[in-house]
Amino acid sequence: VSETIFSIYRRIVHQKKHLGHPDALHLHSLIYRRILRHNNAGMTLDANSKSSLYLWLMSLLPTIPSLFIIESTKYLITWLILYLVLYIYVYKSVVLFKTPKLFKQLRL
């Protein structure tokens, strides 16, 4: 959901393009092209599969706490905001060719 909403914002507000036009600026595409494929030049299929692992790990940030604090809206919103900040940080870093340190340390 966050990727879709961010893509809508990016296309309409930032790029002034129609939603129906394809692009390759989704976070999973950027992780694949700028981090994984670059680091594993001969292993493109392996790198393509690993790009989803980065996104799964990122999505655990709001998911795991929500399992334990399901009745506290205030904490759930806090975790959601933390996730959105992380998402924007990672997206901006990858777009600017600055791989986040956490991604370098993961070496998936």
Side-chain angles (χ1 to χ4, degrees), residues 17-103:
K17 291 184 179 178
H18 187 270
L19 283 176
H21 293 145
D23 67 2
L25 295 176
H26 297 281
L27 184 58
H28 64 275
S29 299
L30 293 171
I31 289 173
Y32 168 71
R33 284 194 331 269
R34 296 191 178 176
I35 297 174
L36 297 170
R37 192 175 67 177
H38 177 70
N39 293 343
N40 304 324
M43 303 173 61
T44 55
L45 288 177
D46 187 40
N48 188 31
S49 301
K50 288 181 179 179
S51 64
S52 61
L53 293 175
Y54 284 91
L55 298 173
W56 290 345
L57 291 172
M58 280 181 55
S59 68
L60 288 176
L61 181 66
T63 304
I64 290 179
S66 69
L67 296 173
F68 299 106
I69 54 175
I70 196 165
E71 295 187 19
S72 176
T73 303
K74 180 173 64 172
Y75 289 119
L76 291 173
I77 290 172
T78 302
W79 280 103
L80 176 63
I81 291 169
L82 287 172
Y83 168 75
L84 294 174
V85 168
L86 173 68
Y87 181 91
I88 291 168
Y89 165 75
V90 169
Y91 189 91
K92 185 175 180 178
S93 297
V94 174
V95 164
L96 297 174
F97 292 94
K98 296 178 182 177
T99 303
K101 290 179 184 179
L102 177 64
F103 282 17

